Amino acid sequence: EDQVTQSPEALRLQEGESSSLNCSYTVSGLRGLFWYRQDPGKGPEFLFTLYSAGEEKEKERLKATLTKKESFLHITAPKPEDSATYLCAVRESGGSNYKLTFGKGTLLTVNP
Amino acid sequence: DAGITQSPRYKITETGRQVTLMCHQTWSHSYMFWYRQDLGHGLRLIYYSAAADITDKGEVPDGYVVSRSKTENFPLTLESATRSQTSVYFCATRDRFREQYFGPGTRLTVT
């Protein structure tokens, strides 16, 4: 069973059509949840770190939120340049402080 | 400020050959990592290094060797490449806030 599950696998939006991406996790204790953006042919780009339930962080049209079992990446009025794969990763308490477990990502396409 | 660079960006090699992927960082971060990214698996950790001369295995280390004689460099060697090692390889570092930053990747094809 995957510890980190992202849904949907792919999402197609029209420009301006707000939506959310989901990242659910089953680790026993969370020491951090990370969101990354990955453009085709490039490495993942760090977006946010969330540490505790109720925490929220924002950057431009993106807002990440965290509950005890999942995180959402809300995209408000997206633009075509927001098209990318969005990756979620968790660091588990009790494990090594370096280890991140990644989900498989959500491929977001925003059409003009 | 280049951050993390990887070379080569693309490599085609034959089964059984040795190949080394290079990673260089300009930040002097202590921790460095090697991941592979494959369809259906996401990013998986191969090896990591906590400092110069300190390395340890990750989730999928078999068939790979690493070294770290200098803080800024972390090469990954495939001693005898196999087709299952065809993948995109990413190097990453970790800053003092424990956030990881990734290089541009090396796309390796083993024929």
Side-chain angles (χ1 to χ4, degrees), chain A residues 14-29:
Chain A
Q14 288 298 122
E15 184 171 3
E17 179 187 2
S18 301
S19 188
S20 297
L21 313 182
N22 177 263
C23 172
S24 63
Y25 57 92
T26 58
V27 297
S28 56

Side-chain angles (χ1 to χ4, degrees), chain B residues 11-50:
Chain B
K11 176 74 176 179
I12 299 174
T13 192
E14 295 177 342
T15 301
R17 290 193 179 267
Q18 182 180 85
V19 59
T20 296
L21 310 184
M22 303 301 294
C23 177
H24 175 79
Q25 58 139 335
T26 60
W27 293 315
S28 298
H29 290 164
S30 295
Y31 277 84
M32 296 186 75
F33 308 85
W34 275 106
Y35 290 88
R36 59 178 291 174
Q37 188 175 39
D38 306 286
L39 282 175
H41 287 283
L43 281 158
R44 292 181 291 174
L45 183 65
I46 305 170
Y47 269 95
Y48 78 99
S49 169

Side-chain angles (χ1 to χ4, degrees), chain B residues 65-77:
Chain B
V65 174
V66 294
S67 62
R68 194 162 175 213
S69 57
K70 293 184 178 181
T71 299
E72 61 267 32
N73 297 323
F74 190 37
L76 175 74
T77 298

Side-chain angles (χ1 to χ4, degrees), chain B residues 39-101:
Chain B
L39 282 175
H41 287 283
L43 281 158
R44 292 181 291 174
L45 183 65
I46 305 170
Y47 269 95
Y48 78 99
S49 169
D53 297 323
I54 301 175
T55 62
D56 206 347
K57 297 177 180 179
E59 184 182 353
V60 288
D62 293 343
Y64 303 95
V65 174
V66 294
S67 62
R68 194 162 175 213
S69 57
K70 293 184 178 181
T71 299
E72 61 267 32
N73 297 323
F74 190 37
L76 175 74
T77 298
L78 288 66
E79 293 189 301
S80 178
T82 65
R83 289 182 181 164
S84 65
Q85 293 177 309
T86 292
S87 186
V88 182
Y89 291 85
F90 290 101
C91 178
T93 70
R94 192 189 78 173
D95 68 8
R96 63 189 182 96
F97 299 107
R98 299 182 179 179
E99 292 158 357
Q100 292 190 19
Y101 294 87

Side-chain angles (χ1 to χ4, degrees), chain A residues 38 41-44, chain B residues 4-10 21-22 34-35 87-91 102-108:
Chain A
Q38 186 173 22
K42 296 189 176 181
Chain B
I4 304 175
T5 56
Q6 293 185 235
S7 62
R9 294 295 315 279
Y10 303 90
L21 310 184
M22 303 301 294
W34 275 106
Y35 290 88
S87 186
V88 182
Y89 291 85
F90 290 101
C91 178
F102 288 79
T106 294
R107 182 174 293 275
L108 176 68

Side-chain angles (χ1 to χ4, degrees), chain A residues 13 15 39:
Chain A
L13 300 173
E15 184 171 3
D39 292 302

